[in-house]
PDB file of all heavy atoms in Angstrom:
ATOM      1  N   LEU A 263     297.338-141.808 143.000  1.00 91.00           N
ATOM      2  CA  LEU A 263     296.048-142.127 143.612  1.00 91.00           C
ATOM      3  C   LEU A 263     295.014-142.512 142.558  1.00 91.00           C
ATOM      4  O   LEU A 263     294.232-143.442 142.760  1.00 91.00           O
ATOM      5  CB  LEU A 263     295.541-140.951 144.445  1.00 91.00           C
ATOM      6  CG  LEU A 263     296.325-140.630 145.713  1.00 91.00           C
ATOM      7  CD1 LEU A 263     295.776-139.368 146.366  1.00 91.00           C
ATOM      8  CD2 LEU A 263     296.307-141.792 146.679  1.00 91.00           C
ATOM      9  N   LEU A 264     295.010-141.795 141.438  1.00 90.00           N
ATOM     10  CA  LEU A 264     294.063-142.115 140.369  1.00 90.00           C
ATOM     11  C   LEU A 264     294.305-143.513 139.812  1.00 90.00           C
ATOM     12  O   LEU A 264     293.363-144.221 139.449  1.00 90.00           O
ATOM     13  CB  LEU A 264     294.158-141.091 139.246  1.00 90.00           C
ATOM     14  CG  LEU A 264     293.515-139.743 139.514  1.00 90.00           C
ATOM     15  CD1 LEU A 264     293.914-138.738 138.447  1.00 90.00           C
ATOM     16  CD2 LEU A 264     292.004-139.870 139.592  1.00 90.00           C
ATOM     17  N   ARG A 265     295.567-143.916 139.736  1.00 92.00           N
ATOM     18  CA  ARG A 265     295.900-145.236 139.208  1.00 92.00           C
ATOM     19  C   ARG A 265     295.653-146.318 140.246  1.00 92.00           C
ATOM     20  O   ARG A 265     295.185-147.402 139.927  1.00 92.00           O
ATOM     21  CB  ARG A 265     297.371-145.258 138.773  1.00 92.00           C
ATOM     22  CG  ARG A 265     297.778-146.523 138.082  1.00 92.00           C
ATOM     23  CD  ARG A 265     297.076-146.589 136.717  1.00 92.00           C
ATOM     24  NE  ARG A 265     297.588-147.665 135.933  1.00 92.00           N
ATOM     25  CZ  ARG A 265     296.872-148.738 135.583  1.00 92.00           C
ATOM     26  NH1 ARG A 265     295.620-148.843 135.939  1.00 92.00           N
ATOM     27  NH2 ARG A 265     297.409-149.680 134.867  1.00 92.00           N
ATOM     28  N   ALA A 266     295.981-146.028 141.506  1.00 92.00           N
ATOM     29  CA  ALA A 266     295.850-147.012 142.574  1.00 92.00           C
ATOM     30  C   ALA A 266     294.394-147.277 142.933  1.00 92.00           C
ATOM     31  O   ALA A 266     294.017-148.414 143.213  1.00 92.00           O
ATOM     32  CB  ALA A 266     296.615-146.549 143.812  1.00 92.00           C
ATOM     33  N   ALA A 267     293.595-146.236 142.934  1.00 88.00           N
ATOM     34  CA  ALA A 267     292.206-146.366 143.371  1.00 88.00           C
ATOM     35  C   ALA A 267     291.313-145.493 142.492  1.00 88.00           C
ATOM     36  O   ALA A 267     290.903-144.403 142.907  1.00 88.00           O
ATOM     37  CB  ALA A 267     292.073-145.958 144.833  1.00 88.00           C
ATOM     38  N   PRO A 268     291.027-145.932 141.251  1.00 81.00           N
ATOM     39  CA  PRO A 268     290.164-145.130 140.371  1.00 81.00           C
ATOM     40  C   PRO A 268     288.854-144.774 141.068  1.00 81.00           C
ATOM     41  O   PRO A 268     288.274-145.586 141.784  1.00 81.00           O
ATOM     42  CB  PRO A 268     289.919-146.051 139.177  1.00 81.00           C
ATOM     43  CG  PRO A 268     291.071-147.006 139.195  1.00 81.00           C
ATOM     44  CD  PRO A 268     291.424-147.192 140.652  1.00 81.00           C
ATOM     45  N   GLY A 269     288.454-143.536 140.891  1.00 78.00           N
ATOM     46  CA  GLY A 269     287.217-143.073 141.514  1.00 78.00           C
ATOM     47  C   GLY A 269     287.424-142.434 142.871  1.00 78.00           C
ATOM     48  O   GLY A 269     286.490-141.870 143.439  1.00 78.00           O
ATOM     49  N   ILE A 270     288.645-142.495 143.400  1.00 78.00           N
ATOM     50  CA  ILE A 270     288.918-141.895 144.707  1.00 78.00           C
ATOM     51  C   ILE A 270     288.860-140.373 144.588  1.00 78.00           C
ATOM     52  O   ILE A 270     289.188-139.813 143.542  1.00 78.00           O
ATOM     53  CB  ILE A 270     290.300-142.347 145.241  1.00 78.00           C
ATOM     54  CG1 ILE A 270     290.464-141.972 146.710  1.00 78.00           C
ATOM     55  CG2 ILE A 270     291.423-141.751 144.428  1.00 78.00           C
ATOM     56  CD1 ILE A 270     291.673-142.609 147.371  1.00 78.00           C
ATOM     57  N   ALA A 271     288.434-139.731 145.652  1.00 76.00           N
ATOM     58  CA  ALA A 271     288.416-138.264 145.669  1.00 76.00           C
ATOM     59  C   ALA A 271     289.847-137.763 145.809  1.00 76.00           C
ATOM     60  O   ALA A 271     290.575-138.205 146.692  1.00 76.00           O
ATOM     61  CB  ALA A 271     287.562-137.764 146.830  1.00 76.00           C
ATOM     62  N   LEU A 272     290.241-136.878 144.925  1.00 75.00           N
ATOM     63  CA  LEU A 272     291.597-136.336 144.978  1.00 75.00           C
ATOM     64  C   LEU A 272     291.714-135.295 146.082  1.00 75.00           C
ATOM     65  O   LEU A 272     290.730-134.666 146.461  1.00 75.00           O
ATOM     66  CB  LEU A 272     291.953-135.692 143.645  1.00 75.00           C
ATOM     67  CG  LEU A 272     292.180-136.648 142.490  1.00 75.00           C
ATOM     68  CD1 LEU A 272     292.455-135.875 141.211  1.00 75.00           C
ATOM     69  CD2 LEU A 272     293.319-137.591 142.783  1.00 75.00           C
ATOM     70  N   PRO A 273     292.927-135.087 146.573  1.00 70.00           N
ATOM     71  CA  PRO A 273     293.126-134.043 147.581  1.00 70.00           C
ATOM     72  C   PRO A 273     292.708-132.682 147.037  1.00 70.00           C
ATOM     73  O   PRO A 273     292.781-132.438 145.830  1.00 70.00           O
ATOM     74  CB  PRO A 273     294.642-134.083 147.822  1.00 70.00           C
ATOM     75  CG  PRO A 273     295.078-135.426 147.364  1.00 70.00           C
ATOM     76  CD  PRO A 273     294.144-135.811 146.266  1.00 70.00           C
ATOM     77  N   GLU A 274     292.307-131.807 147.934  1.00 64.00           N
ATOM     78  CA  GLU A 274     291.880-130.464 147.546  1.00 64.00           C
ATOM     79  C   GLU A 274     292.986-129.783 146.764  1.00 64.00           C
ATOM     80  O   GLU A 274     294.167-129.922 147.060  1.00 64.00           O
ATOM     81  CB  GLU A 274     291.560-129.644 148.800  1.00 64.00           C
ATOM     82  CG  GLU A 274     290.910-128.327 148.491  1.00 64.00           C
ATOM     83  CD  GLU A 274     290.492-127.593 149.750  1.00 64.00           C
ATOM     84  OE1 GLU A 274     290.200-128.245 150.755  1.00 64.00           O
ATOM     85  OE2 GLU A 274     290.457-126.359 149.696  1.00 64.00           O
ATOM     86  N   GLY A 275     292.596-129.069 145.738  1.00 64.00           N
ATOM     87  CA  GLY A 275     293.561-128.375 144.902  1.00 64.00           C
ATOM     88  C   GLY A 275     293.916-129.141 143.645  1.00 64.00           C
ATOM     89  O   GLY A 275     294.471-128.587 142.728  1.00 64.00           O
ATOM     90  N   LEU A 276     293.591-130.441 143.609  1.00 68.00           N
ATOM     91  CA  LEU A 276     293.876-131.236 142.419  1.00 68.00           C
ATOM     92  C   LEU A 276     292.626-131.536 141.609  1.00 68.00           C
ATOM     93  O   LEU A 276     292.707-131.725 140.410  1.00 68.00           O
ATOM     94  CB  LEU A 276     294.550-132.564 142.787  1.00 68.00           C
ATOM     95  CG  LEU A 276     295.985-132.480 143.239  1.00 68.00           C
ATOM     96  CD1 LEU A 276     296.510-133.856 143.590  1.00 68.00           C
ATOM     97  CD2 LEU A 276     296.858-131.833 142.191  1.00 68.00           C
ATOM     98  N   ALA A 277     291.506-131.639 142.278  1.00 56.00           N
ATOM     99  CA  ALA A 277     290.269-131.915 141.556  1.00 56.00           C
ATOM    100  C   ALA A 277     289.885-130.680 140.750  1.00 56.00           C
ATOM    101  O   ALA A 277     290.238-129.566 141.088  1.00 56.00           O
ATOM    102  CB  ALA A 277     289.158-132.273 142.542  1.00 56.00           C
ATOM    103  N   GLY A 278     289.200-130.885 139.672  1.00 59.00           N
ATOM    104  CA  GLY A 278     288.766-129.747 138.882  1.00 59.00           C
ATOM    105  C   GLY A 278     288.799-130.032 137.403  1.00 59.00           C
ATOM    106  O   GLY A 278     288.702-131.171 136.967  1.00 59.00           O
ATOM    107  N   ALA A 279     289.012-128.989 136.647  1.00 50.00           N
ATOM    108  CA  ALA A 279     288.911-129.072 135.194  1.00 50.00           C
ATOM    109  C   ALA A 279     289.943-129.990 134.567  1.00 50.00           C
ATOM    110  O   ALA A 279     289.712-130.543 133.503  1.00 50.00           O
ATOM    111  CB  ALA A 279     289.045-127.672 134.595  1.00 50.00           C
ATOM    112  N   ASP A 280     291.097-130.193 135.209  1.00 70.00           N
ATOM    113  CA  ASP A 280     292.134-131.026 134.612  1.00 70.00           C
ATOM    114  C   ASP A 280     292.041-132.492 135.023  1.00 70.00           C
ATOM    115  O   ASP A 280     292.933-133.274 134.740  1.00 70.00           O
ATOM    116  CB  ASP A 280     293.515-130.463 134.919  1.00 70.00           C
ATOM    117  CG  ASP A 280     293.790-130.365 136.412  1.00 70.00           C
ATOM    118  OD1 ASP A 280     292.845-130.504 137.202  1.00 70.00           O
ATOM    119  OD2 ASP A 280     294.938-130.148 136.782  1.00 70.00           O
ATOM    120  N   LEU A 281     290.962-132.889 135.674  1.00 76.00           N
ATOM    121  CA  LEU A 281     290.806-134.261 136.146  1.00 76.00           C
ATOM    122  C   LEU A 281     290.833-135.263 134.988  1.00 76.00           C
ATOM    123  O   LEU A 281     291.438-136.325 135.096  1.00 76.00           O
ATOM    124  CB  LEU A 281     289.503-134.408 136.946  1.00 76.00           C
ATOM    125  CG  LEU A 281     289.266-135.765 137.593  1.00 76.00           C
ATOM    126  CD1 LEU A 281     290.399-136.110 138.553  1.00 76.00           C
ATOM    127  CD2 LEU A 281     287.947-135.774 138.327  1.00 76.00           C
ATOM    128  N   GLY A 282     290.228-134.921 133.872  1.00 79.00           N
ATOM    129  CA  GLY A 282     290.233-135.816 132.711  1.00 79.00           C
ATOM    130  C   GLY A 282     291.637-136.036 132.186  1.00 79.00           C
ATOM    131  O   GLY A 282     292.035-137.167 131.884  1.00 79.00           O
ATOM    132  N   ALA A 283     292.415-134.970 132.092  1.00 82.00           N
ATOM    133  CA  ALA A 283     293.788-135.087 131.614  1.00 82.00           C
ATOM    134  C   ALA A 283     294.643-135.872 132.603  1.00 82.00           C
ATOM    135  O   ALA A 283     295.468-136.702 132.209  1.00 82.00           O
ATOM    136  CB  ALA A 283     294.385-133.696 131.396  1.00 82.00           C
ATOM    137  N   MET A 284     294.431-135.641 133.894  1.00 84.00           N
ATOM    138  CA  MET A 284     295.171-136.395 134.911  1.00 84.00           C
ATOM    139  C   MET A 284     294.842-137.875 134.826  1.00 84.00           C
ATOM    140  O   MET A 284     295.736-138.720 134.881  1.00 84.00           O
ATOM    141  CB  MET A 284     294.834-135.883 136.315  1.00 84.00           C
ATOM    142  CG  MET A 284     295.494-134.589 136.686  1.00 84.00           C
ATOM    143  SD  MET A 284     295.099-134.096 138.387  1.00 84.00           S
ATOM    144  CE  MET A 284     296.083-135.277 139.322  1.00 84.00           C
ATOM    145  N   SER A 285     293.562-138.192 134.682  1.00 85.00           N
ATOM    146  CA  SER A 285     293.143-139.595 134.602  1.00 85.00           C
ATOM    147  C   SER A 285     293.755-140.276 133.390  1.00 85.00           C
ATOM    148  O   SER A 285     294.233-141.411 133.479  1.00 85.00           O
ATOM    149  CB  SER A 285     291.617-139.703 134.540  1.00 85.00           C
ATOM    150  OG  SER A 285     291.047-139.257 135.736  1.00 85.00           O
ATOM    151  N   ALA A 286     293.750-139.585 132.251  1.00 87.00           N
ATOM    152  CA  ALA A 286     294.319-140.168 131.030  1.00 87.00           C
ATOM    153  C   ALA A 286     295.810-140.445 131.211  1.00 87.00           C
ATOM    154  O   ALA A 286     296.302-141.505 130.807  1.00 87.00           O
ATOM    155  CB  ALA A 286     294.087-139.237 129.845  1.00 87.00           C
ATOM    156  N   LEU A 287     296.528-139.521 131.820  1.00 88.00           N
ATOM    157  CA  LEU A 287     297.960-139.720 132.039  1.00 88.00           C
ATOM    158  C   LEU A 287     298.201-140.860 133.026  1.00 88.00           C
ATOM    159  O   LEU A 287     299.064-141.713 132.808  1.00 88.00           O
ATOM    160  CB  LEU A 287     298.614-138.429 132.544  1.00 88.00           C
ATOM    161  CG  LEU A 287     300.125-138.443 132.746  1.00 88.00           C
ATOM    162  CD1 LEU A 287     300.846-138.794 131.443  1.00 88.00           C
ATOM    163  CD2 LEU A 287     300.608-137.095 133.274  1.00 88.00           C
ATOM    164  N   ALA A 288     297.420-140.889 134.101  1.00 88.00           N
ATOM    165  CA  ALA A 288     297.591-141.928 135.113  1.00 88.00           C
ATOM    166  C   ALA A 288     297.251-143.311 134.567  1.00 88.00           C
ATOM    167  O   ALA A 288     297.981-144.276 134.797  1.00 88.00           O
ATOM    168  CB  ALA A 288     296.713-141.624 136.333  1.00 88.00           C
ATOM    169  N   LEU A 289     296.162-143.415 133.849  1.00 88.00           N
ATOM    170  CA  LEU A 289     295.733-144.723 133.353  1.00 88.00           C
ATOM    171  C   LEU A 289     296.591-145.208 132.189  1.00 88.00           C
ATOM    172  O   LEU A 289     296.586-146.396 131.876  1.00 88.00           O
ATOM    173  CB  LEU A 289     294.259-144.682 132.976  1.00 88.00           C
ATOM    174  CG  LEU A 289     293.317-144.407 134.154  1.00 88.00           C
ATOM    175  CD1 LEU A 289     291.876-144.284 133.682  1.00 88.00           C
ATOM    176  CD2 LEU A 289     293.445-145.481 135.224  1.00 88.00           C
ATOM    177  N   GLY A 290     297.356-144.305 131.582  1.00 90.00           N
ATOM    178  CA  GLY A 290     298.258-144.693 130.504  1.00 90.00           C
ATOM    179  C   GLY A 290     299.591-145.220 131.020  1.00 90.00           C
ATOM    180  O   GLY A 290     300.466-145.574 130.227  1.00 90.00           O
ATOM    181  N   ARG A 291     299.771-145.263 132.320  1.00 92.00           N
ATOM    182  CA  ARG A 291     301.008-145.728 132.948  1.00 92.00           C
ATOM    183  C   ARG A 291     300.715-146.829 133.940  1.00 92.00           C
ATOM    184  O   ARG A 291     299.622-146.909 134.495  1.00 92.00           O
ATOM    185  CB  ARG A 291     301.700-144.570 133.693  1.00 92.00           C
ATOM    186  CG  ARG A 291     302.035-143.416 132.825  1.00 92.00           C
ATOM    187  CD  ARG A 291     303.127-143.812 131.872  1.00 92.00           C
ATOM    188  NE  ARG A 291     303.274-142.788 130.842  1.00 92.00           N
ATOM    189  CZ  ARG A 291     304.005-142.944 129.773  1.00 92.00           C
ATOM    190  NH1 ARG A 291     304.650-144.065 129.571  1.00 92.00           N
ATOM    191  NH2 ARG A 291     304.097-141.991 128.889  1.00 92.00           N
ATOM    192  N   SER A 292     301.703-147.638 134.217  1.00 92.00           N
ATOM    193  CA  SER A 292     301.506-148.699 135.203  1.00 92.00           C
ATOM    194  C   SER A 292     301.545-148.096 136.608  1.00 92.00           C
ATOM    195  O   SER A 292     302.162-147.045 136.827  1.00 92.00           O
ATOM    196  CB  SER A 292     302.579-149.777 135.066  1.00 92.00           C
ATOM    197  OG  SER A 292     303.827-149.285 135.516  1.00 92.00           O
TER     198      SER A 292
END
């Protein structure tokens, strides 16, 4: 979802302190 639609609200339970790390991993992949 982060890769498909940057800025989209993540499902509950995923948003939070690790959002930066998730974004970096997602944006580093196709």
